[in-house]
Amino acid sequence: MGDHTPLVKEKILAAVEHTKNVSCTGGLLHTLQVALEHQYDIVANISLEDGLVNGAECTIKHLEHLHAGTPIPSILWVQFEDAHVGQLQRQKYACYFHDDIHRTWTPIFAVRRQFQATIRHITVARTQFPLRPAAARTIHSVQGTTFKSHIQLDLSGKARTPKTPFQHIHYVALSRVTTMKALNILHLNENEIRISPHVVAHIAEMRAQKQLALCYTPVYTFGEDYLKIAYNNATSVHRHIMDLRADHNVTGADIIGIAESRLVASDSDETYALADAAIYRNDDEYTGCTRNRPFHGLLLYVKPRVRVLEYSKYSTRVFQSIFACIQWKQLPLQLYFVYKAPSCTLEHLKMHLCTITTDYDLQSRILFIGDFNIDFTQKQSKTFEAYMLDTFNCSQFVTEPTTDSGSSIDLLFANFAISNIHTVSAYWSYHKILYAAI
């Protein structure tokens, strides 16, 4: 730019052409090699509001020539993984869409950037598409990036400069994918792995002196002398079995009751196995279905160290239960896992409880646990509480909210004292996990 002799301009352009540091050229490449279905990065902040910012990843889908006779395309149509990126750009240039252009593609136009040349500090202007190839990247350039597709990782280089080692650079590289199957490692040089001694010392200090004190006692911290019982309305075991398996407050219990399992007869026990526990099912065969699955259903998991002496199940349209008489510390314990639908009246609930406890042994310990759909934060719950005490000599022990809305509808009744009763949030359900250690 400006009034300069042809010789000076030629020297300036030659110097700029061979500049490898694109940060000196406004991020624009001198020559951009373009290939369909290849990955590219945006190298300029086109629109912060629209997500068209430096580093945004895209795939080139189509080259459009609006002017005949020129090898340079007028528009590069790209597709972003996040459909929200480029939405405003697509609306703004809707007139360029036609039958060959998919509605999720975003038009990218060439931009003009000015920068200072090294010779005489002369201002130079470059017009180029704000993209750079991104099929291969350095580890530093992908910090903060997560790849959902397969990547090939070449770790043959040195993880340090002559003066400064790149500490933890291997961790940055290996943690860019969400699954190990998506990672293909080439030339791993273990001798180049560097760990900061300050980080090691800090982690050791945190583990020894600065452990976070939990506001509750997890199930898995109780020893073998305790019988650990957990209950949760999972809202669908079919959907959340992996979540249940991943939560140690569930798998750490000896006996686990799950409501609203929503299983059908064709579902195998192996598909919904939990740890090494035996499974007892009471599938819902009465209510209607959504997406070919019933609304309710109960599951009972029992670990091998607990001996089941007797088992039975009971089910109606509005009430379900699983009964298990177990032997614990040489004495029987009668367990009733219960689910009461909101439409079940209090009188019908009493009737069903009387039905399932026909053979109830007054001399034995008994425990009811489940989703009763009776909120014990409300005064009307006193009637049912009095009924359980008068009929079964059982008191209600849950004193914390059992749902995210603050209600207490998941309850535990027993005719013996229980001091270790807690609830902990379950991210897959608005019902908390209710557990007791006896």
Side-chain angles (χ1 to χ4, degrees):
M1 299 181 65
D3 187 16
H4 301 285
T5 65
L7 181 61
V8 171
K9 290 183 179 180
E10 184 178 345
K11 290 182 178 180
I12 293 173
L13 291 176
V16 171
E17 179 180 350
H18 294 92
T19 299
K20 295 182 179 180
N21 188 1
V22 293
S23 63
C24 299
T25 61
L28 301 181
L29 299 174
H30 176 268
T31 303
L32 175 64
Q33 296 182 343
V34 177
L36 297 181
E37 301 299 333
H38 279 230
Q39 290 183 321
Y40 288 78
D41 283 346
I42 301 290
V43 296
N45 291 326
I46 302 173
S47 172
L48 298 179
E49 181 184 5
D50 204 17
L52 298 176
V53 297
N54 184 24
E57 304 170 17
C58 63
T59 302
I60 292 185
K61 309 298 289 187
H62 182 69
L63 311 181
E64 179 127 24
H65 293 78
L66 299 179
H67 306 288
T70 174
I72 301 176
S74 304
I75 304 175
L76 299 184
W77 290 93
V78 304
Q79 186 170 34
F80 295 95
E81 186 173 338
D82 185 350
H84 294 93
V85 176
Q87 187 173 3
L88 299 178
Q89 180 92 337
R90 294 191 292 271
Q91 294 174 0
K92 181 179 180 180
Y93 297 104
C95 59
Y96 288 103
F97 282 86
H98 50 81
D99 293 341
D100 295 333
I101 303 300
H102 197 277
R103 287 294 172 180
T104 61
W105 297 353
T106 303
I108 300 296
F109 301 90
V111 298
R112 181 183 174 93
R113 292 288 185 270
Q114 297 181 10
F115 51 90
Q116 297 290 324
T118 55
I119 300 177
R120 300 185 182 181
H121 300 288
I122 296 173
T123 301
V124 177
R126 172 174 290 176
T127 301
Q128 180 62 278
F129 290 98
L131 297 174
R132 66 171 171 231
R137 310 183 191 183
T138 64
I139 296 175
H140 287 87
S141 68
V142 298
Q143 292 189 70
T145 303
T146 300
F147 296 100
K148 295 183 180 179
S149 58
H150 287 72
I151 66 171
Q152 186 166 282
L153 187 60
D154 188 349
L155 295 174
S156 59
K158 291 184 177 294
R160 53 184 172 179
T161 62
K163 294 183 178 181
T164 306
F166 294 150
Q167 296 163 338
H168 305 283
I169 195 70
H170 285 74
Y171 169 78
V172 175
L174 295 170
S175 60
R176 297 307 94 198
V177 293
T178 56
T179 64
M180 291 299 295
K181 293 181 180 179
L183 189 61
N184 184 21
I185 302 175
L186 299 178
H187 314 303
L188 175 62
N189 186 354
E190 297 183 9
N191 295 326
E192 290 297 323
I193 297 177
R194 296 289 183 271
I195 301 175
S196 169
H198 301 291
V199 172
V200 174
H202 182 63
I203 291 176
E205 180 185 7
M206 292 183 65
R207 288 174 174 170
Q209 304 175 19
K210 299 181 180 180
Q211 288 190 0
L212 180 65
L214 298 177
C215 61
Y216 74 101
T217 306
V219 171
Y220 50 85
T221 60
F222 289 94
E224 293 295 316
D225 292 337
Y226 288 89
L227 174 68
K228 299 169 285 259
I229 302 172
Y231 180 91
N232 177 244
N233 184 328
T235 67
S236 175
V237 173
H238 171 69
R239 177 177 296 179
H240 299 300
I241 183 60
M242 298 304 295
D243 299 316
L244 293 166
R245 288 171 178 165
D247 197 309
H248 296 299
N249 284 308
V250 175
T251 58
D254 302 305
I255 302 174
I256 306 147
I258 304 294
E260 293 192 15
S261 59
R262 304 193 67 184
L263 300 187
V264 294
S266 58
D267 291 324
S268 67
D269 291 351
E270 292 76 16
T271 303
Y272 299 97
L274 200 61
D276 55 349
I279 183 172
Y280 300 87
R281 292 168 56 167
N282 188 359
D283 296 342
D284 182 6
E285 301 175 356
Y286 291 91
T287 63
C289 298
T290 57
R291 297 182 181 178
N292 299 319
R293 291 198 169 270
F295 294 110
H296 307 308
L298 279 176
L299 286 181
L300 179 63
Y301 296 94
V302 182
K303 295 284 188 69
R305 80 186 194 105
V306 178
R307 181 185 174 190
V308 178
L309 303 176
E310 185 180 353
Y311 155 78
S312 65
K313 60 183 181 180
Y314 176 84
S315 185
T316 71
R317 287 184 177 275
V318 294
F319 181 86
Q320 289 181 308
S321 70
I322 291 180
F323 165 74
C325 182
I326 67 167
Q327 185 171 341
W328 179 250
K329 293 185 176 180
Q330 309 304 319
L331 294 173
L333 173 59
Q334 297 181 90
L335 299 174
Y336 291 90
F337 290 84
V338 173
Y339 173 79
K340 181 189 85 68
S343 59
C344 180
T345 65
L346 181 58
E347 293 305 316
H348 280 93
L349 173 59
K350 294 177 181 178
M351 181 188 69
H352 294 315
L353 290 175
C354 289
T355 301
I356 66 175
T357 56
T358 302
D359 299 326
Y360 165 56
D361 182 3
L362 294 175
Q363 304 303 317
S364 178
R365 295 179 296 175
I366 185 171
L367 184 148
F368 296 88
I369 186 172
D371 182 359
F372 286 83
N373 269 303
I374 298 176
D375 190 357
F376 261 58
T377 64
Q378 306 297 322
K379 292 182 179 180
Q380 52 265 38
S381 64
K382 298 299 181 182
T383 302
F384 182 63
E385 184 176 17
Y387 166 81
M388 294 296 291
L389 186 60
D390 295 340
T391 307
F392 304 105
N393 194 30
C394 287
S395 301
Q396 205 286 121
F397 288 92
V398 178
T399 59
E400 308 171 21
T402 63
T403 67
D404 292 340
S405 62
S407 61
S408 292
I409 58 177
D410 302 300
L411 309 173
L412 187 151
F413 297 87
N415 63 352
F416 57 95
I418 304 176
S419 57
N420 296 306
I421 298 179
H422 300 279
T423 62
V424 59
S425 294
Y427 61 87
W428 59 86
S429 172
Y430 67 94
H431 288 263
K432 299 178 185 293
I433 302 169
L434 172 63
Y435 63 91
I438 303 173

